[in-house]
Amino acid sequence: MKSIKNIIEMRKLFYAIVIVSMVTLSGCSLKQMVKLAEEQKLTVEPNPLELHGGKVDFEMSANLPVKMLKKGKVYTLNTYYKYGEQEKQLESLEFKAEDFPDSDTQQPQLSKGQSFDYDPAMSVGTLEIEGVASDPRNGKSANTPRLEVAEGIITTSLLVQPVFFSAYADHGYNNKEELIPTRVSFFFEQGSPNLRYSEKRSDRGKQFSAFVAEKNVTRTVTITGTHSPEGPERINSKLASQRATSIENYYRQQMKKYDYKGYADSIKFILKDVVEDWTQFKEKLNSYGGISQTEKQEYLDVVNGSGSFEEKEDQLQKLSTYKKVFKDIYPELRTAKTEILTVKIKKPDAVIAVLAKEVSQGSAPADTLSSEELLFGASLTPSLSEKEAIYKASIKKDDSWVAHNNLGAVYLEMATTANGSQQTEMIDQAITQLEIAQKKNESAEVMANLGTAYAMQGNTDKALEAISSALSKGLGSENQSGINGVKGSLEIKKADYSTAVSSTNSATETATNLFNKGLAQLLNKQYENALTSFDEAIDKDSDMALAHYCSAIASARLGKEAQGLD
């Protein structure tokens, strides 16, 4: 019994010695790993870290010394970004000996992409790495000292300048000179260039005389004399021209009668004659109902066929329906067609501006101006409060989508100079008006303004979606250039630099848009182009400190490239 007891005690002692030996050996292995870790190579790209699109992305790479990894052991590289009194633990790199069977002769290597959301407090900080050698079987571990592998975060992308734009829809009013055509035709007897008394006293003649009597501001009077194709008409080659001259003389007589005085000298007379031309004949024939379609085709076959003008007329005379056509159609070809271009009477811009304000204040009835004139009146005042009042009056008048859109655009402009709750209120009012306009007409202008409103609210994705919709619908050149500036600034925030370069390149050339263009080029590593854009921004605004600062950055980057360091 005593012998068995001794054996058991001896075995316990043996196992205890084995366990102690294993722990001791494990501890030694871990310490060896930590010691060898002093020779590890850690790299971070980029270094310093960079902020893009609200995130800090980098790649962590590690090369371990040969024979550092031990069987059954794990070596972990823990990554931290430390700033102030805080730190953010990131993902780890883990090395296991079984994953690197050649680690006794080759350096184990691992790389891993890392990313973390940026906080303004992180602008000053360090990226630190801590190595941990561990034995999963007993939970033992040994740590390396923390190493600083990158310092700070480059936040150049945060220099993007916000851009907002109000897209006004066209008011539909043309305040430029417009010419109104008035047309009248006088008919002549066969072979005659004389204007008959019966023509002067006809309804056409009376309307013509009344028109001249009104002394409309007239720019041109174009008179086209024609002749029919039959012999007595075509033989006299001057007949068409004489008929045009006859109407000109009559017109001048009427002006003298109604005492035009100096007005007559400003009117330009243009005389034309149409000789040996079948165009009017074919037009009259096409609308003529006196003969069948088959019979009409007989005329067209001759007219469109070969032969001289006289030969074709001789062939027409042989057709069975010629006498009927001669009687019904030919007299309408012996004409002098007159087109008078007079200036449309419009209110002067200054008058419209005053009346629009009176309508908005209720001191003039809404029908004092047309809808287009009222909307145009809003564009004539620089005052946003006056614009607001006029667009409200326009909504009350006809509730058009244009008025709602433009009122929304006014509120967006007001929001750019407001702060806090007042700014929020202006943006909300703008969106309300724009949503009403959108229900009436989902136009490019409405979508562009919604994009600006969402951008003001900080909703970049929703803003870009609305702006893309606006551009796909087609904006006028001014609105398109303006909204491209907004789009470019948002794309820089999203770190979509190449697209931002394209957008800002098509934007209105303001100092801010040119700066943003240069910034997008700088972040896209187009340093030479960035320098040019920053110089252009400085030309627009010599006091723009940011443009000078970023120009220096671009110059520095070019210097690094020249030395092969960038």
Side-chain angles (χ1 to χ4, degrees), residues 181-187 199 202-209 211-212 221-224 247 250-251 335-340:
T182 300
R183 299 180 179 89
V184 61
S185 293
F186 291 100
F187 297 92
E199 280 295 291
S202 67
D203 289 341
R204 297 186 309 280
K206 290 178 181 179
Q207 290 172 3
F208 174 79
S209 182
F211 176 84
V212 176
V221 178
T222 303
I223 307 168
T224 304
I247 300 303
Y250 179 59
Y251 198 113
T335 67
K337 297 181 178 180
T338 305
E339 181 182 74
I340 309 161

Side-chain angles (χ1 to χ4, degrees), residues 35-280:
K35 179 65 176 175
L36 287 170
E38 294 176 3
E39 301 175 21
Q40 67 188 353
K41 293 181 180 179
L42 306 176
T43 57
V44 174
E45 182 62 34
N47 191 354
L49 303 178
E50 295 179 3
L51 171 65
H52 299 287
K55 289 184 174 293
V56 178
D57 297 324
F58 64 94
E59 185 170 77
M60 175 70 192
S61 299
N63 285 19
L64 303 185
V66 173
K67 296 182 180 181
M68 175 180 163
L69 292 182
K70 308 298 181 183
K71 186 176 180 180
K73 309 300 187 292
V74 177
Y75 183 68
T76 305
L77 287 169
N78 294 322
T79 309
Y80 305 86
Y81 186 75
K82 187 174 181 178
Y83 55 103
E85 298 299 321
Q86 303 180 66
E87 70 176 18
K88 185 177 185 67
Q89 184 168 1
L90 308 176
E91 294 186 52
S92 302
L93 284 180
E94 190 173 78
F95 291 83
K96 295 181 180 179
E98 56 266 29
D99 294 335
F100 298 91
D102 299 326
S103 64
D104 284 344
T105 58
Q106 297 181 10
Q107 289 184 324
Q109 298 179 356
L110 273 182
S111 294
K112 189 172 189 177
Q114 301 259 34
S115 179
F116 61 92
D117 292 331
Y118 177 76
D119 184 281
M122 295 176 174
S123 61
V124 177
T126 55
L127 188 69
E128 299 180 351
I129 303 294
E130 178 186 49
V132 179
S134 61
D135 187 338
R137 293 171 297 182
N138 58 26
K140 293 282 184 178
S141 64
N143 296 9
T144 69
R146 282 200 184 188
L147 299 175
E148 293 183 3
V149 291
E151 186 173 355
I153 299 174
I154 294 176
T155 58
T156 307
S157 61
L158 291 180
L159 298 178
V160 60
Q161 297 300 290
V163 177
F164 306 117
F165 180 78
S166 293
Y168 287 90
D170 186 66
H171 41 68
Y173 179 74
N174 181 6
N175 69 327
K176 308 300 181 185
E177 180 176 284
E178 286 185 86
L179 299 178
I180 304 172
T182 300
R183 299 180 179 89
V184 61
S185 293
F186 291 100
F187 297 92
F188 296 82
E189 289 186 326
Q190 185 182 31
S192 173
N194 299 319
L195 183 61
R196 293 171 292 172
Y197 178 78
S198 60
E199 280 295 291
K200 296 177 183 179
R201 300 309 302 162
S202 67
D203 289 341
R204 297 186 309 280
K206 290 178 181 179
Q207 290 172 3
F208 174 79
S209 182
F211 176 84
V212 176
E214 291 175 356
K215 294 184 179 180
N216 297 289
V217 179
T218 304
R219 292 286 180 255
T220 62
V221 178
T222 303
I223 307 168
T224 304
T226 65
H227 68 83
S228 58
E230 86 277 4
E233 293 270 312
R234 73 168 187 258
I235 290 173
N236 186 352
S237 60
K238 297 181 179 179
L239 186 58
S241 175
Q242 290 170 342
R243 286 172 173 167
T245 301
S246 179
I247 300 303
E248 179 189 5
N249 292 337
Y250 179 59
Y251 198 113
R252 292 187 181 280
Q253 290 171 10
Q254 293 295 99
M255 288 195 296
K256 187 175 181 179
K257 174 181 177 181
Y258 294 112
D259 195 22
Y260 266 58
K261 294 183 179 179
Y263 291 120
D265 296 334
S266 64
I267 300 174
K268 181 180 180 181
F269 282 84
I270 303 170
L271 304 188
K272 299 179 181 180
D273 55 75
V274 179
V275 181
E276 297 188 356
D277 186 280
W278 293 102
T279 303
Q280 292 184 73

